[in-house]
Amino acid sequence: GGARSRSPTPRPTSSRAATANPLPIAFNVTGGGNYCAGGTGVTIGLSGSSSGTTYQLYNGATLVSAAIGTGGPVTFGLQTGAGTYTVVGTTTLTGCTGNMAGSATIVINPLPTIFTVTGGGNYCDFTPGVHVGLSFSSTGVDYILKYYGLPIDTVSGSGTSLDFGSILTPGNYTVSAYNTATGCTNDMSGSANVAVNPLP
């Protein structure tokens, strides 16, 4: 008879199970908004955080700040750069990274354009006085006439020069601008002095 073939005995295989490390919990990005040029900026943060996780704040592709998770909300402080901010979390123990939920946008509003205060001068007692105005104005901006820093009159910008009318009270007059849409303010250039000459 012929030889019988024997089937090979199966060898035991390793049964190690692979475990996946979880990504950082996705908390919401908070803050952002608008601020006036030259201001201190606006705050950006996270609604929550996990201990053992580092959070990196990006403006576009640029890393701008980092914070360590505390188990509660975290802040990246005041941010001044315009743009869209996102946050990436990294779990220290595993190195796993994940994007946080949402983003925050910062917009920098320009200050009102500076124009020059006009007019002022001397006038004779019992005459109509002298005019104080502004060399030019922007629409959507209110111009506030101030007497020694105290507001006394407001005129809306028209895209032309402004006249606050005839001034009788002697003293120093300045003008500040207030953008009604953004809330940004700016002082105009120069001032006008008004003085009264007595009649003979």
Side-chain angles (χ1 to χ4, degrees):
R4 294 174 61 186
S5 65
R6 297 177 65 188
S7 60
T9 306
R11 294 185 181 194
T13 58
S14 173
S15 62
R16 268 198 256 169
T19 56
N21 292 318
L23 297 178
I25 298 169
F27 295 101
N28 292 317
V29 178
T30 60
N34 297 20
Y35 76 98
C36 298
T40 57
V42 291
T43 302
I44 293 180
L46 280 176
S47 61
S49 66
S50 299
S51 298
T53 302
T54 300
Y55 298 93
Q56 295 177 313
L57 177 68
Y58 289 87
N59 181 356
T62 304
L63 175 64
V64 293
S65 186
I68 296 174
T70 60
V74 294
T75 179
F76 297 100
L78 291 169
Q79 303 299 318
T80 57
T84 300
Y85 289 76
T86 56
V87 178
V88 175
T90 303
T91 304
T92 307
L93 187 63
T94 64
C96 292
T97 63
N99 294 327
M100 298 297 104
S103 62
T105 301
I106 292 179
V107 175
I108 303 172
N109 294 320
L111 300 180
T113 304
I114 296 175
F115 301 113
T116 304
V117 177
T118 60
N122 294 19
Y123 72 96
C124 293
D125 211 358
F126 302 108
T127 60
V130 291
H131 286 256
V132 172
L134 200 59
S135 62
F136 200 76
S137 65
S138 302
T139 57
V141 176
D142 285 345
Y143 294 90
I144 303 145
L145 180 66
K146 295 181 177 181
Y147 177 69
Y148 290 109
L150 298 173
I152 58 170
D153 193 12
T154 300
V155 175
S156 295
S158 58
T160 62
S161 60
L162 290 184
D163 186 359
F164 289 98
S166 182
I167 304 293
L168 296 170
T169 305
N172 181 262
Y173 293 84
T174 56
V175 178
S176 293
Y178 172 78
N179 186 310
T180 56
T182 65
C184 296
T185 62
N186 206 4
D187 291 331
M188 300 295 98
S189 175
S191 63
N193 287 304
V194 175
V196 181
N197 293 326
L199 293 177

